[in-house]
Each structure stands twice: as C-alpha cells, then as structure tokens.
Amino acid sequence: MTSTTLLFLVIGLGLVAWFFGRLKAASLQSRGPNSRSVLHSLPNYHGWYVALWAIVPAAIFMTVWSFVSPALITDAALTSPAAAQLPTDGFARAAILSEARAIAYGNQVNAFNPLSQSMVEPYREAIAYYQMIGAIAALLMVFACGAYAWLRIKPDLRARTKIERVTMLLLLLASLIAIITTVGIFLSLVFETARFFSMVSPIDFLFGTEWNPKAVAGPRGETGFGAIPLFWGTVFIGAIIAMIVAIPLGLMSAIYLTQYAPAKFRSWMKPILEVLAGVPTVVYGYFAALTVAPALRDFAVSIGISNASSESALAAGVVMGIMIIPFVSSMADDSIAAVPSAMRDGSLAMGATQSETIKKVLIPAALPGVVGGVLLAVSRAIGETMIVVMAAGLAANMTANPFSSVTTVTTQIVQLLTGDQEFDSPKTLAAFALGLVLFIVTLLLNLIALRVVKKYREAYE
Amino acid sequence: MNEDQKILEPSESVTMTDSAPTGITNESGTPKMTARNVDVFYGDKQAINDVSIDVNMDAVTAFIGPSGCGKSTFLRCMNRMNDTIPIARVTGEIKLEGEDIYASRMDVVQLRARVGMVFQKPNPFPKSIYDNIAYGPRIHGLATGKEDLDEIVESSLQRAGLWGEVKDRLQDSGTALSGGQQQRLCIARAIAVDPEVILMDEPCSALDPIATAKIEELIHELRGKYAIVIVTHNMQQAARVSQKTAFFHLGTLVEYGETTDIFTNPREEKTRDYITGRYG
C-alpha cells in the first residue's frame, strides 16, 4: 500500500469516525429542565472531536515514519547476501545504493551499474515490509485513538472548547509558516554569505569599486568583487530616477483623485490604477527594453550625446517609476484621505482656495504617511528585477549619466545564478552576499516606513 | 406648517409690510446679513424649508433647536460651506450687506474672508500657533511685512484672550494646546482676517465647563465688533450669550426674536415645549 492510498484511507476513516461521534452525541441529546440541552457541545463538535482524534495522531505517525523508514529500509537491504559484494568505498557504495533504491521505487527503469541490479530485489522486499508495518501501525492508531475519543463522548465533554483550541493551533501554524520560511531563507543567505566572506574580504566587497566576477581565477587573492558600482546602479535607477518619475506623478494623481475628481470618476479611476499595480513586471520589462530604451537613445543622439547606450539607466528607471506610480498614489491617497475633513473645512472657511488648502494644510498633514509610502516604494523598486534585467544592462559603470548603461544588484544576482553554479566558488556565492545586502536594506526601509506610517496614524486617532 | 403661518399672520399685519414673516427683521440697526425664503436640499431630501432671517451687527444671534433641525445646515449656507458637499443645493436669497452671496459673480474666497467660521470640534492646523493665526492673513495678503504680521498675530490672540497663555511659545504646535485653548486659537484664527461676521457651529460642545465659560466671555467681548451667529444645543448658553434667538424645528424657522422674549414669553407653543424641555 503506497503512502498516498494510506493517507486517503486514514482521511476516509476519519469521516467515518466523525459520523459515529456525531451519532453517539445525538443519541445522548435530550432536553433537560428549562429546556436546556444536556450536551455541553453540539453533536457536530463531538463528531469533529472523534474525527480529529482518529486522523491527527495517525498523520503525525505517518510523517515521522516517512523520515525514519528510509534508514530502516537501507539497513534491512544491507543485511541481504547481495550486499556483501558492494564496494567498501563510500562514494561508489552510496551511488549504487541510491540507484537501486530508485529502481525499487519505480523512478528509474534500468540500472547503469550491474551491481545495483542485484540490490534492487532486497530493496523491494525491505520497502514492502516497512510500508506494511507503517500502514498497519497507522490504521491501528486510527482505530485506537478514534475508539478512545468515541468512548469519551459524554454529555459534559467540552468538545466545543477543544475543537476551538485545535482551530486556533491550526491558524497559528499557518501564520508561522511564512515567518519560519523567511527566517530560513535569511539563515541560508547568512551561511552562504559567511562562506563567501571567507574567500573575499567583506571590506573589498562592500567598498570595492571594481565589479568583474567572471575574471576571477584563483581561490585566493580574488579581486573584482567590489559591489559599489552595483549599489550605485541600484540606487540610481530605483531610488533616484524611478522616484523622480513616481513621486510627483503619484502624488498629483492622488491629490486629483481625493480632492477634485467627481465621485463617479474616482470610483472608476482608483480600481484601474490599482490594477496597474498587478501588471506582471516582465511586461514592463519588455516595454522598457523594446520601446522606451531605443526611443531614449535616439533622443539622446539627436541632442548630441553620442555615447548613449541602447540599454540605459534612464529607460529602466523611467519604466520602473511608472510601475511604482499606482503604489505611491494609493499610499498618498490613503494618507490624504486620513487627514480629518475638519482640517480641510477649517482652511476653506478661512477663505483659502482649494489648491491653497491642499498645499498648505493637507499635504503637510499627510506628509508622514506619504513619506512612509515613498520608502515602501523605494524598497520595492530596489528589489525589482525584471525591468532592470531587460533594460538596464550588465556593465558595472559608476556614472551619473542617465543615458549610459548601469547594472544593479538584482541583475547581477540573476547573472551569477543562471548557467553553471559552483557552490564552492566565490562567483556563485557572491550572489548570496548581494542577496543578503538587498534583504537587509529592504527590511530596514520597510521597518522605517511602517514606523513612520504608524506614528502618523496615531496622531489622528 | 400651515398652523404656524396662521399664528404668524396677525402680528405680521401689524409690524410688517413686505413678505418677511414677523420678528425676522430687526427694528434696531441695519441688518448685516439677510436671508429670504432659503431652501436647502441634500439630494432629494429637503433640509431647510423657506427660512427668512436677518442677522444684526450689534447683537449675538443664537440658533437653537433639536438635533437635525437644520440649524447647522443653515449656518453653513451663510458662508457657502455647503459648497463642499456635492449633493447640497441652496435656493432662495442670502445677502451680505445687500450683496447676494449665491450670485455667480460672488467670489467664495472673499466671502469666507468676510464671513468667518468656528467649528464644533477645535480644528487647529498641525502647524505652530503663530502659523495658525498667520494662515489667513498670508493667503489673503493682509500683512505688508514681517512686523505687520507679528502685530496681526498678537492682536488676534489678544482679542481671543489667548495671548497671555501662549506668548512665550508661539512656535509650539497648535495641536499641543488644551481643547479650550485650541478653540480660542480657532477663534483668533478667524479674527485674524478681520471678518465682518463670525459663524460659530456649537463651539463649546467639545469643551469642559471652564473652557466653555471662557469662550462665552470671549463672545461677550467680541459682540459689536463682529456680527456673531452661534449654533448651540445648550439653551442656557443661548440665554447667556445671545441677544437674539432663532428656534428651528424640522428645517423651518419657528420663531425669531429677542432672547429674553423667547425664553420668558415665547409666542409659539413649539418653542415653549422645547425650552421647557418637553422634547428635543
């Protein structure tokens, strides 16, 4: 019996358990004095109580068993007579064993090594044996635990409270998964980065100005891992050019939508703007690479900048700015709408015009929220990958000329991790160091932004 | 409504010759603002029904009435603050010194500089005390220089009775003041543009009794310098601060007259019921 079949069987038995639990509880049900139910909980909760007792312990056992059994299976297979012919060399031995195991499980058809073929049969036997043990144990647990819970059903059993607690645990688990995964990613970044820094000095990495990882040869004395040009490129595109585009346009569209637009127009416009935030970035990417970049180069050439590149910081930055507009606009919209209308009325009642009111009262009052929104937008922009991969170029230039090609942290991570990966060479490990820097910077930006926004919210509530 | 008009008719024939109902015009002084046959609609719903009233320079006028009777709505018509509500529509005629404020050539900005407003909840701008007061003079270009502006700020705060409390911390935020101080700051802010009329929409409803007493004292002192209209829920307050009182009910003006008459000898039964606390 495979583990999938077993799982369905257990769940099926759980449903049966639910039915019997409910049945027993319903049979105990009667109306006491004051027409109060004698059952503490509704029959349904008793059903769930029995079903959970039947399924959960068995499921936990099956999970543990799936980790433990491979080792037991290998041990059992090694006791077979065929195992005596295996080479003692660790590497060759492991290769043969894994091949035999793959054939035994049916993942592979033919053996590359004839020795493996001889091991297949012992493996098959061991697998069948341990699968049966696992299945029998799991089913026994279903019946034992289900029966235990079923016997405990009494009118005063607090089944509802217990189910409530299980639900809470389930939700807690769901919320922890995202956090645990993030922590795991962060730790893996930290470990790989530590390996990278054992080969390349952190000072050279963080403050070096020459980026040329492909040229690196020897395991020691590496150069060409100076990441400053990448940091500059990232800031230049994501925090300078993109924000020069996104902040004024986003802010102005938010002001128009909150202050001037008729309700009907606003009810159309706001969702459309928010849909823009959902356009896949790769679409913006080829828009940047195929439309904006050539147009900008032609423009640059026409005004006499002869060395304009076809992949320019400006093209990537402008398109990224456009991508960020809905984001800035929506944050600014929220903060302007959060300014109490009494403030606006106060200004209008002084005889201020609408634009004076916006300029002198609404924007200053909404500023912290807007700043928070812009910081979040920056953190999105510097982590953005597709647009810069497609439009910004690969040359690690340190230049303030927007028409020249620059490269960013994310672009280089893509470059370093596509193609051959060698996890013992600094070339591949550099990607993790870059990723860690990006992770920390965006994390800090988000933290600051959320704090700013929160503080501001408190001021008006 | 028919009943009201019947009751009004006899006295009207004695004192009045034009269409305005009794007690609406003032026997003493020229009216600063006059309203004739004003209707206000929010969408399809009529909030104000045929209100005519005169507001005088030398008297404080109180609008009283139960919640939802339209007194605040009517007040907000007097400086066109209802313009900020898209579905609001005003018909009839409101004049400021003979000029129709709803005429197309009337500049709302100038109107609001002449007819200032103080709101129910103190709403200082999140700026310094100084900048709060200087806000109006700056946007209307009233000050010729820094010293002039300083002088406007000082005199406005003095007239609002706040100067002594804040003169050493003019650069502190206006929102850091206490509720009563904030409301006096808002009054000072309204005074700073030298308006002719000040509309107060329940200015004390968010304040404690001591702060309320200070505002009422301030209203006494401002009387005569500005035409003051105050909307209030608090009938004792109306009796204390006003010389004229208008009683609104369900969007209509039921009775308007000398405050002493309204409170001691109302002509209308509805007014009597309201001030004796039978409803509202």
Side-chain angles (χ1 to χ4, degrees):
Chain A
M1 195 187 306
T2 67
S3 46
T4 324
T5 333
L6 184 62
L7 188 67
F8 280 113
L9 190 64
V10 168
I11 291 172
L13 287 172
L15 290 178
V16 175
W18 179 84
F19 180 74
F20 277 108
R22 198 177 188 287
L23 204 65
K24 180 175 177 190
S27 74
L28 293 173
Q29 176 72 302
S30 65
R31 297 283 157 184
N34 307 329
S35 79
R36 279 178 63 90
S37 164
V38 295
L39 279 180
H40 169 270
S41 312
L42 290 176
N44 222 358
Y45 284 109
H46 288 94
W48 279 113
Y49 177 72
V50 178
L52 284 175
W53 261 108
I55 295 174
V56 173
I60 292 172
F61 167 77
M62 281 160 67
T63 314
V64 173
W65 186 249
S66 72
F67 284 109
V68 175
S69 62
L72 294 174
I73 289 168
T74 307
D75 282 348
L78 286 176
T79 58
S80 73
Q85 302 161 4
L86 286 178
T88 46
D89 168 43
F91 187 73
R93 197 182 164 92
I96 291 168
L97 285 179
S98 80
E99 199 176 20
R101 190 165 47 224
I103 297 169
Y105 275 113
N107 298 338
Q108 194 176 325
V109 183
N110 287 315
F112 179 70
N113 190 325
L115 267 178
S116 308
Q117 197 63 52
S118 67
M119 282 302 289
V120 168
E121 209 40 48
Y123 251 113
R124 280 212 180 112
E125 279 165 24
I127 288 167
Y129 177 66
Y130 280 104
Q131 263 186 355
M132 196 174 67
I133 290 185
I136 290 172
L139 291 177
L140 277 177
M141 281 183 91
V142 170
F143 284 111
C145 297
Y148 166 75
W150 188 79
L151 288 173
R152 282 190 54 177
I153 291 180
K154 282 191 265 333
D156 62 347
L157 176 69
R158 296 174 172 264
R160 189 178 52 202
T161 326
K162 291 181 202 298
I163 297 298
E164 203 61 26
R165 203 169 303 147
V166 171
T167 314
M168 194 269 286
L169 281 176
L170 196 74
L171 297 177
L172 178 70
L173 204 68
S175 65
L176 282 182
I177 283 175
I179 295 173
I180 291 170
T181 313
T182 313
V183 171
I185 293 172
F186 181 72
L187 287 180
S188 86
L189 280 178
V190 168
F191 286 129
E192 302 296 345
T193 305
R195 284 176 62 196
F196 174 71
F197 283 148
S198 69
M199 300 177 207
V200 176
S201 138
I203 310 272
D204 289 346
F205 174 71
L206 290 174
F207 301 106
T209 54
E210 195 198 329
W211 179 262
N212 195 3
K214 297 243 162 78
V216 179
R220 286 285 148 191
E222 280 89 349
T223 54
F225 279 112
I228 288 284
L230 310 191
F231 297 152
W232 164 247
T234 308
V235 168
F236 191 40
I237 292 179
I240 299 178
I241 299 176
M243 290 305 134
I244 287 175
V245 174
I247 293 173
L249 290 180
L251 203 55
M252 285 192 272
S253 88
I255 289 170
Y256 177 73
L257 284 178
T258 54
Q259 302 300 317
Y260 290 95
K264 203 160 177 196
F265 183 73
R266 180 181 154 87
S267 70
W268 276 94
M269 201 54 199
K270 215 174 171 240
I272 290 176
L273 213 56
E274 275 157 12
V275 163
L276 280 185
V279 173
T281 55
V282 67
V283 175
Y284 283 110
Y286 61 67
F287 173 60
L290 302 181
T291 311
V292 177
L296 282 173
R297 188 201 46 212
D298 294 347
F299 169 74
V301 169
S302 75
I303 60 167
I305 303 171
S306 55
N307 62 346
S309 156
S310 65
E311 291 171 323
S312 66
L314 192 59
V318 165
V319 174
M320 196 185 281
I322 291 169
M323 183 191 84
I324 297 285
I325 287 174
F327 200 72
V328 174
S329 165
S330 153
M331 290 294 289
D333 192 322
D334 289 348
S335 7
I336 292 173
V339 176
S341 62
M343 211 81 88
R344 194 174 78 123
D345 285 355
S347 172
L348 291 175
M350 295 295 300
T353 63
Q354 199 158 11
S355 65
E356 282 167 342
T357 302
I358 291 164
K359 204 167 59 198
K360 296 192 171 174
V361 176
L362 288 180
I363 301 280
L367 198 61
V370 173
V371 169
V374 166
L375 287 180
L376 285 179
V378 169
S379 100
R380 260 199 69 169
I382 65 175
E384 164 53 36
T385 309
M386 270 336 281
I387 294 175
V388 285
V389 166
M390 295 172 84
L394 296 172
N397 291 325
M398 288 252 279
T399 171
N401 173 8
F403 291 106
S404 78
S405 159
V406 299
T407 192
T408 70
V409 173
T410 49
T411 315
Q412 287 305 317
I413 293 177
V414 171
Q415 285 302 312
L416 294 171
L417 288 185
T418 45
D420 294 339
Q421 291 157 24
E422 306 153 59
F423 278 83
D424 50 354
S425 97
K427 179 177 157 297
T428 302
L429 292 175
F432 291 93
L434 289 175
L436 185 68
V437 171
L438 200 60
F439 188 95
I440 290 173
V441 169
T442 51
L443 194 72
L444 285 179
L445 275 175
N446 283 357
L447 276 179
I448 295 169
L450 290 178
R451 278 196 80 103
V452 169
V453 172
K454 187 166 164 244
K455 207 173 160 196
Y456 159 74
R457 287 276 141 82
E458 280 163 3
Y460 289 121
E461 274 164 12
Chain B
M1 261 182 299
N2 288 336
E3 215 177 322
D4 296 350
Q5 278 159 2
K6 259 182 232 149
I7 296 163
L8 279 171
E9 265 161 24
S11 54
E12 186 180 64
S13 58
V14 178
T15 54
M16 296 304 303
T17 47
D18 67 355
S19 64
T22 304
I24 280 164
T25 53
N26 297 284
E27 293 78 16
S28 58
T30 46
K32 191 81 195 171
M33 293 190 81
T34 58
R36 289 293 173 270
N37 313 106
V38 174
D39 293 326
V40 179
F41 301 87
Y42 288 125
D44 297 333
K45 197 178 155 288
Q46 186 160 15
I48 293 287
N49 188 356
D50 196 26
V51 168
S52 299
I53 197 166
D54 282 3
V55 171
N56 233 27
M57 192 67 192
D58 56 3
V60 173
T61 308
F63 290 177
I64 62 170
S67 297
C69 68
K71 54 194 190 305
S72 289
T73 300
F74 185 72
L75 190 78
R76 289 169 67 94
C77 292
M78 297 174 72
N79 69 344
R80 292 185 59 177
M81 280 303 285
N82 277 337
D83 290 12
T84 60
I85 303 165
I87 57 165
R89 191 160 54 83
V90 181
T91 63
E93 183 187 79
I94 301 179
K95 285 183 172 170
L96 172 63
E97 295 210 311
E99 243 183 299
D100 184 0
I101 66 168
Y102 281 90
S104 55
R105 46 185 293 278
M106 171 53 88
D107 181 3
V108 178
V109 166
Q110 276 186 341
L111 168 71
R112 289 180 187 152
R114 291 172 69 190
V115 183
M117 190 163 204
V118 176
F119 293 82
Q120 190 168 357
K121 248 181 83 184
N123 59 348
F125 303 132
K127 298 171 180 284
S128 71
I129 293 169
Y130 184 95
D131 287 336
N132 261 283
I133 306 295
Y135 186 81
R138 276 181 182 142
I139 58 178
H140 293 297
L142 297 182
T144 49
K146 170 91 177 100
E147 276 138 48
D148 200 15
L149 191 62
D150 287 351
E151 212 176 286
I152 293 176
V153 170
E154 183 179 340
S155 68
S156 306
L157 283 169
Q158 253 162 0
R159 276 201 258 178
L162 198 58
W163 176 251
E165 291 160 60
V166 301
K167 65 172 190 281
D168 299 324
R169 47 187 183 127
L170 289 175
Q171 293 311 318
D172 287 8
S173 170
T175 52
L177 296 172
S178 75
Q181 288 174 325
Q182 287 189 15
Q183 195 61 302
R184 279 182 284 150
L185 181 68
C186 293
I187 294 175
R189 188 174 72 185
I191 291 173
V193 292
D194 204 20
E196 296 158 41
V197 182
I198 300 178
L199 309 173
M200 299 187 179
D201 188 358
E202 298 181 34
C204 302
S205 66
L207 304 182
D208 65 60
I210 294 172
T212 301
K214 282 195 176 158
I215 302 275
E216 289 179 4
E217 203 178 305
L218 176 57
I219 293 172
H220 269 298
E221 282 163 21
L222 297 177
R223 181 195 155 197
K225 299 189 187 87
Y226 313 95
I228 295 176
V229 182
I230 176 170
V231 165
T232 177
H233 269 308
N234 181 333
M235 283 177 286
Q236 286 78 24
Q237 182 172 66
R240 284 194 298 264
V241 302
S242 72
Q243 287 74 49
K244 294 270 193 180
T245 296
F247 173 59
F248 284 76
H249 185 240
L250 296 177
T252 55
L253 176 58
V254 176
E255 187 169 353
Y256 179 43
E258 298 292 328
T259 299
T260 46
D261 291 345
I262 296 270
F263 280 94
T264 56
N265 187 23
R267 288 191 305 266
E268 300 293 326
E269 204 171 323
K270 271 186 192 162
T271 316
R272 192 189 327 260
D273 287 351
Y274 182 66
I275 61 172
T276 55
R278 207 148 326 148
Y279 69 80

